[in-house]
Amino acid sequence: MSYPVFAVTVDLVVLTVREGELCVLLVRRGIEPYKDRWALPGGFVLADEDLADAARRELAEETGLDGPGGHLEQLATYGTPDRDPRGRVVTAAYLALLPDLPVPNAGSDAAAAAWRPITQQGLAFDHDRILADGVERARSKLEYSPLATAFCPPEFTVAALRQVYEAVWGESIDPRNFHRKATSTPGFLLPTGHSTEGEPGRPAKLFRRGDATLLNPPILRRRTGG
Amino acid sequence: MSYPVFAVTVDLVVLTVREGELCVLLVRRGIEPYKDRWALPGGFVLADEDLADAARRELAEETGLDGPGGHLEQLATYGTPDRDPRGRVVTAAYLALLPDLPVPNAGSDAAAAAWRPITQQGLAFDHDRILADGVERARSKLEYSPLATAFCPPEFTVAALRQVYEAVWGESIDPRNFHRKATSTPGFLLPTGHSTEGEPGRPAKLFRRGDATLLNPPILRRRTGG
DNA sequence: GCAATAGTGTCTGTTAGACACTATACC
DNA sequence: GGTATAGTGTCTAACAGACACTATTGC
């Protein structure tokens, strides 16, 4: 039996929160097509490689590590016939959430890599659309999963966690109500017994992520109608 | 530049509610591999075809129509290297929700097609996993979207809609509370002015789906913890 | 009338959000 | 002391769920 042949790539929407702003990891392309344009990091899937493994490999190549506190999940797959001028390329997009990292390294076929605000437009290929889908996925998943902790270092304060929610959702949250909600949701946060030092104001207790995979009750954002 | 070549398929998780039970459309494979085994309907993506178009085409081939009241969305993509003995095949799975249809037609490479309870096991390839993912997606989407109406004919009663929720979630729902909730959620249901006739009991008003894309407030299922 | 289903009203416990208040650090 | 941030208590409005009650059909 005969059938058409495709190339398969993975592209990564790597998000982090830097200085209260949701940012995405972009690379400036060093080769055609779309040379010198910003793009999502990614690359071809190898001949005997699982899709998730390819995503993890690309993530490690671009950032140095999958790191503790990180999260990686499949986002969606894009396969419009003309999406890549080199031929028929289907890409499986993955969403990664990471704590704020020092500086990303340039990959092999990327001239430079940088954190950019998620409002960045004009990316290569159909990456504007993929980025928008990734941001929307992240926003909705914060409600029902403990994934906000993936943006935080291993130990973090309730205030730091709240600032993640505020950055991702782009809205302010009452600190007192958030504190009560976050600490009373079973399995969300584990006390470490440690506290911050040297910061202004009363020291804050430090927490680790709990073992819950689904928040119950959820942390709801203000509904925008529908 | 050289890179590995892949075949790309689409597979469909087509769900409907029949006699109060959530069912999936399966085909009995007429060719190798997995000859005579039940499988999800699907097939190869054509050389110049979009993934979503391929899914719509396969759905039309298997059921006769995408039909009014139906819904089709991308589910996930599966690409483990050894998932297909014919070679490196990546499949984009789509989830379709349809009203109860008469009888599905056998496709070209399928010896027979039938509705089976979603508890069916032992499917070809990795289709057990894909089916489970599709059912889980459908269950969670009923809460926040008006997709339950995709299982109903163009005009339906509140009781019929409730039976969809009960079948998909596998739990019973208080009819009186559900009625108040469904009819008071903005944009969910549009009154038609018609009523049922010839049924036992008081006639029920008929509704169409509204134009809401997100239910606010949502229709929540009983939380199972996490 | 009786049986059956549609649809409404009411009560109760829980929760989200507003916000006053207390606690504990640095200066 | 003053300022800043952490964390708790309390009130209120909205909502989910339980369930009594009324409405409208076929028999």
Side-chain angles (χ1 to χ4, degrees), chain A residues 163-179:
Chain A
Q163 284 155 14
V164 166
Y165 277 90
E166 292 178 329
V168 175
W169 286 345
E171 63 187 39
S172 61
I173 299 171
D174 185 290
R176 293 101 75 183
N177 289 335
F178 181 84
H179 189 283

Side-chain angles (χ1 to χ4, degrees), chain B residues 55-79:
Chain B
R56 275 188 286 269
R57 173 175 56 77
E58 292 288 344
L59 182 61
E61 287 177 11
E62 300 292 346
T63 68
L65 65 143
D66 188 348
H71 171 81
L72 184 67
E73 69 175 43
Q74 190 181 297
L75 177 58
T77 297
Y78 304 82

Side-chain angles (χ1 to χ4, degrees), chain B residues 174-198:
Chain B
D174 185 289
R176 295 101 78 188
N177 290 336
F178 180 85
H179 188 283
R180 180 162 18 86
K181 185 94 178 147
T183 53
S184 68
T185 296
F188 192 15
L189 301 180
L190 287 177
T192 64
H194 310 151
S195 294
T196 55
E197 294 176 18

Side-chain angles (χ1 to χ4, degrees), chain A:
Chain A
M1 149 163 231
S2 80
Y3 40 78
V5 296
F6 294 72
V8 176
T9 59
V10 292
D11 285 313
L12 292 169
V13 178
V14 185
L15 301 179
T16 197
V17 174
R18 291 169 66 86
E19 297 165 7
E21 187 174 23
L22 186 60
C23 294
V24 59
L25 181 65
L26 297 179
V27 296
R28 195 178 283 275
R29 289 184 58 81
I31 60 173
E32 294 291 349
Y34 295 100
K35 188 169 189 294
D36 297 328
R37 291 275 285 277
W38 289 106
L40 299 174
F44 289 99
V45 176
L46 304 182
D48 194 40
E49 186 179 41
D50 189 21
L51 299 180
D53 290 335
R56 275 187 286 269
R57 174 176 54 78
E58 293 287 343
L59 183 61
E61 288 178 12
E62 300 292 345
T63 68
L65 64 143
D66 190 347
H71 171 80
L72 184 66
E73 69 175 42
Q74 191 181 298
L75 177 58
T77 297
Y78 303 82
T80 307
D82 60 356
R83 63 175 295 281
D84 191 319
R86 291 169 292 189
R88 194 68 205 271
V89 180
V90 166
T91 192
Y94 278 76
L95 176 66
L97 310 181
L98 297 182
D100 191 8
L101 293 171
V103 187
N105 300 318
S108 58
D109 61 349
W115 293 112
R116 307 281 298 178
I118 51 121
T119 50
Q120 176 85 41
Q121 294 286 310
L123 304 183
F125 305 104
D126 49 3
H127 290 185
D128 281 345
R129 166 79 187 287
I130 298 174
L131 172 58
D133 290 349
V135 169
E136 184 47 43
R137 171 78 65 90
R139 283 179 174 154
S140 70
K141 276 213 135 187
L142 286 208
E143 295 195 311
Y144 302 100
S145 75
L147 280 192
T149 60
F151 287 111
C152 297
E155 297 200 356
F156 52 88
T157 64
V158 173
L161 186 66
R162 173 173 51 83
Q163 284 155 14
V164 166
Y165 277 90
E166 292 178 329
V168 175
W169 286 345
E171 63 187 39
S172 61
I173 299 171
D174 185 290
R176 293 101 75 183
N177 289 335
F178 181 84
H179 189 283
R180 179 162 18 86
K181 185 92 178 147
T183 52
S184 68
T185 296
F188 191 14
L189 301 181
L190 287 178
T192 63
H194 310 152
S195 294
T196 56
E197 294 176 18
E199 305 286 326
R202 174 176 168 176
K205 289 175 183 162
L206 288 164
F207 295 85
R208 294 183 177 279
R209 64 172 63 183
D211 55 5
T213 57
L214 196 67
L215 296 187
N216 182 21
I219 309 281
L220 294 175
R221 66 180 144 169
R222 216 168 286 278
R223 296 267 151 201
T224 58

Side-chain angles (χ1 to χ4, degrees), chain B:
Chain B
M1 153 164 227
S2 80
Y3 40 79
V5 295
F6 293 73
V8 176
T9 60
V10 292
D11 285 313
L12 293 169
V13 178
V14 186
L15 301 179
T16 198
V17 174
R18 292 169 66 86
E19 297 165 7
E21 187 173 24
L22 186 59
C23 294
V24 60
L25 181 65
L26 297 179
V27 296
R28 197 178 280 277
R29 289 185 58 83
I31 60 174
E32 295 290 351
Y34 295 100
K35 189 170 189 295
D36 297 327
R37 291 275 285 278
W38 289 106
L40 298 174
F44 289 99
V45 176
L46 304 182
D48 195 39
E49 187 179 39
D50 189 21
L51 298 180
D53 289 336
R56 275 188 286 269
R57 173 175 56 77
E58 292 288 344
L59 182 61
E61 287 177 11
E62 300 292 346
T63 68
L65 65 143
D66 188 348
H71 171 81
L72 184 67
E73 69 175 43
Q74 190 181 297
L75 177 58
T77 297
Y78 304 82
T80 306
D82 60 356
R83 62 175 295 280
D84 190 319
R86 291 170 293 189
R88 194 67 205 273
V89 180
V90 165
T91 193
Y94 278 75
L95 175 66
L97 310 181
L98 297 181
D100 192 7
L101 293 171
V103 188
N105 300 318
S108 57
D109 61 349
W115 293 112
R116 307 282 297 177
I118 52 121
T119 50
Q120 176 85 42
Q121 293 285 309
L123 304 183
F125 305 103
D126 48 3
H127 289 185
D128 282 345
R129 164 80 187 286
I130 298 175
L131 171 58
D133 290 348
V135 168
E136 183 48 42
R137 170 79 64 91
R139 282 178 173 154
S140 70
K141 276 213 134 185
L142 286 209
E143 294 194 313
Y144 303 99
S145 76
L147 280 192
T149 60
F151 287 112
C152 297
E155 297 199 356
F156 53 89
T157 65
V158 173
L161 186 66
R162 172 173 51 83
Q163 284 155 15
V164 166
Y165 277 91
E166 292 178 329
V168 175
W169 287 345
E171 62 186 42
S172 60
I173 299 172
D174 185 289
R176 295 101 78 188
N177 290 336
F178 180 85
H179 188 283
R180 180 162 18 86
K181 185 94 178 147
T183 53
S184 68
T185 296
F188 192 15
L189 301 180
L190 287 177
T192 64
H194 310 151
S195 294
T196 55
E197 294 176 18
E199 304 287 327
R202 172 175 169 177
K205 290 176 183 161
L206 289 165
F207 295 85
R208 294 182 176 281
R209 65 172 63 182
D211 55 5
T213 56
L214 196 66
L215 296 187
N216 182 21
I219 310 281
L220 294 174
R221 66 179 142 169
R222 216 168 286 279
R223 296 267 151 201
T224 58

